[in-house]
């Protein structure tokens, strides 16, 4: 019954509200095993959906633990995607679930900021159908994930709204106090 409620056409829709909960149910045993392994090896293990991250005081500790981590994942019935598996040192940009992590700071990165500004600009100047729902979703995400860049984007949206009254951007909701 749960499978019928959570699937469409026999498939699990990506981005469904039930996805995180289902991922947690499916990965319960895996999470317990990896958490125990991480604790014994001095690692920090986190997972969001199917993105797993392991942190340690040194790359050597991670490199030594990697074969054990791979074994636990495979033994739990999962496969690793080699294109998404990497070991990063302290001088490399750390990207986890699309967010850039630097010391105590988390953000969306310059490239994503530029892409979103470009989408907003196209929406402002376009008469064609623009996916304002997607832009609103990105703005809401950035508001939570990167408040500094959200304030920049909010100011940009307000400037564009001021230049052209009645543009498609009028429907975007900006959070109070973000300017």
């Amino acid at each position: 019954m749960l499978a019928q409620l959570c699937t469409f056409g026999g498939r699990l829709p990506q981005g469904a509200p039930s996805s995180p909960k289902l991922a947690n149910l499916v990965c319960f045993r895996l999470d317990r095993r990896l958490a125990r392994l991480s604790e014994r090896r001095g690692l920090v293990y986190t997972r969001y959906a199917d993105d797993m991250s392991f942190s340690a005081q040194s790359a050597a500790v991670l490199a030594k633990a990697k074969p054990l981590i791979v074994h636990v994942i495979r033994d739990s019935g999962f496969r690793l995607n080699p294109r998404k598996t990497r070991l990063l040192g302290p001088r490399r940009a750390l990207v986890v679930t699309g967010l850039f992590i630097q010391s105590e700071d988390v953000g969306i990165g310059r490239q994503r900021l530029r892409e979103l500004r470009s989408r907003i600009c196209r929406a402002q100047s376009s008469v064609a159908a623009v996916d304002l729902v997607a832009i609103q979703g990105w703005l809401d995400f950035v508001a939570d994930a990167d408040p500094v860049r959200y304030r920049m984007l909010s100011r940009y949206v307000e400037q564009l709204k001021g230049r052209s009254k009645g543009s498609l951007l009028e429907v975007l909701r900006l959070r109070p106090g973000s300017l």
Side-chain angles (χ1 to χ4, degrees):
M1 187 165 139
L2 182 62
Q4 288 177 335
L5 286 171
C6 296
T7 58
F8 179 75
R11 308 195 101 189
L12 190 61
Q14 186 176 4
S18 56
S19 294
K21 186 65 172 174
L22 293 174
N24 290 342
L25 288 170
V26 168
C27 294
F28 180 77
R29 182 173 173 263
L30 172 69
D31 286 339
R32 286 185 34 209
R33 292 178 71 190
L34 289 175
R36 279 194 304 252
L37 171 71
S38 296
E39 190 176 318
R40 287 194 304 261
R41 297 282 174 163
L43 307 173
V44 175
Y45 164 64
T46 56
R47 180 184 57 79
Y48 179 76
D50 63 344
D51 292 326
M52 292 181 243
S53 298
F54 296 88
S55 306
Q57 292 298 319
S58 73
V61 171
L62 284 172
K64 190 174 178 183
K66 185 179 176 184
L68 293 169
I69 293 167
V70 169
H71 171 75
V72 169
I73 291 168
R74 288 185 178 148
D75 187 58
S76 298
F78 295 94
R79 290 183 316 224
L80 285 174
N81 183 342
R83 291 183 317 219
K84 292 184 175 183
T85 304
R86 59 189 180 269
L87 186 62
L88 301 174
R91 292 188 180 94
R92 293 281 311 270
L94 181 59
V95 181
V96 178
T97 64
L99 293 173
F100 287 79
I101 301 170
Q102 298 172 334
S103 62
E104 299 296 318
D105 217 15
V106 176
I108 61 168
R110 276 177 281 181
Q111 183 63 33
R112 183 161 289 152
L113 175 68
R114 287 186 194 120
E115 290 169 6
L116 192 47
R117 279 180 55 106
S118 175
R119 289 176 95 173
I120 292 167
C121 184
R122 282 195 308 273
Q124 185 262 344
S125 62
S126 177
V127 284
V130 175
D131 194 355
L132 289 171
V133 173
I135 292 172
Q136 183 69 61
W138 274 108
L139 285 171
D140 292 342
F141 169 75
V142 174
D144 292 331
D146 192 342
V148 171
R149 287 204 167 92
Y150 180 74
R151 284 190 292 280
M152 294 167 65
L153 288 167
S154 295
R155 286 191 295 269
Y156 182 63
V157 169
E158 288 299 329
Q159 286 173 354
L160 292 176
K161 282 181 179 181
R163 287 187 207 154
S164 56
K165 293 292 181 196
S167 78
L168 294 173
L169 296 180
E170 294 296 326
V171 300
L172 292 178
R173 296 175 327 279
L174 298 175
R175 294 186 183 176
S178 61
L179 299 177

